[in-house]
Amino acid sequence: MRRRVLLCLTLILAMSACNGDRVGTPIGSAAKPSNDISDATHPGDVASNPDFFFLPPMVKQPGTGAPWDVGAFNPNLRPTVEICDFGPTVSALPPLATCTGTTISYATEVSIADEHYKVNWTVPTSATKFYRISVKVGSTLLGYADVESGANGASLKSVDTQNFVPLVDGRTLPIK
């Protein structure tokens, strides 16, 4: 019996050693670069609020199964949408990246009938190519989406829509 316990402990230690320096690295570490959409249906590198969903046209309509709860909309919140300009050359944003460019905050409109909050954002026509849209209530982050913009639709054909929202410069995006 002692030999089996000793053998099991030896195997466990050997397997742990094979992981090298990854043993202490948490999933979703800010050191891991990421291009992300983080809401209840898009499991990004940073867990978002399970009751928060981005809606079309930014992403596909979320399903009606779990964790979707029809009728659970809270019209009394006052979320804000912050849009951070990450510049023209960023190719990977850390999950909780500190905005080094300009951040603009918008108060949201509430639609009780449609059960959502909304902000219309017009993508600037500029050299900036990467943005992060963050939705917060107070200082609590509900979710975020990374945006890649381009001069026209052809320049956005290769955008990975699981990780970025592709937007043409000068277009207006309803953020719901």
Side-chain angles (χ1 to χ4, degrees):
M1 181 69 169
R2 267 187 164 171
R3 278 189 173 164
R4 277 192 220 158
V5 171
L6 185 57
L7 178 61
C8 287
L9 287 174
T10 303
L11 288 173
I12 290 170
L13 287 172
M15 288 172 36
S16 295
C18 291
N19 285 329
D21 62 345
R22 292 181 297 158
V23 173
T25 305
I27 295 172
S29 164
K32 180 182 177 193
S34 153
N35 302 311
D36 228 349
I37 298 173
S38 178
D39 68 3
T41 56
H42 297 86
D45 285 340
V46 175
S48 68
N49 185 305
D51 297 321
F52 173 78
F53 300 85
F54 283 111
L55 298 173
M58 280 183 62
V59 297
K60 293 180 182 175
Q61 180 69 29
T64 55
W68 186 264
D69 189 5
V70 176
F73 177 70
N74 181 349
N76 300 315
L77 297 177
R78 294 294 170 245
T80 58
V81 173
E82 293 181 1
I83 299 176
C84 175
D85 172 343
F86 273 95
T89 59
V90 173
S91 61
L93 303 176
L96 293 176
T98 302
C99 184
T100 55
T102 305
T103 299
I104 300 172
S105 293
Y106 299 90
T108 57
E109 302 171 17
V110 64
S111 173
I112 295 172
D114 295 325
E115 294 190 337
H116 69 251
Y117 294 93
K118 178 180 165 185
V119 166
N120 287 323
W121 175 55
T122 301
V123 181
T125 302
S126 70
T128 294
K129 188 171 180 177
F130 295 96
Y131 299 89
R132 174 160 290 161
I133 298 170
S134 300
V135 180
K136 297 179 178 182
V137 172
S139 62
T140 302
L141 178 67
L142 299 180
Y144 60 88
D146 291 341
V147 172
E148 183 173 344
S149 69
N152 53 46
S155 67
L156 298 171
K157 283 187 178 182
S158 64
V159 172
D160 175 5
T161 57
Q162 289 298 310
N163 294 315
F164 282 106
V165 177
L167 293 174
V168 175
D169 290 347
R171 295 272 173 97
T172 298
L173 174 67
I175 301 168
K176 298 179 186 178

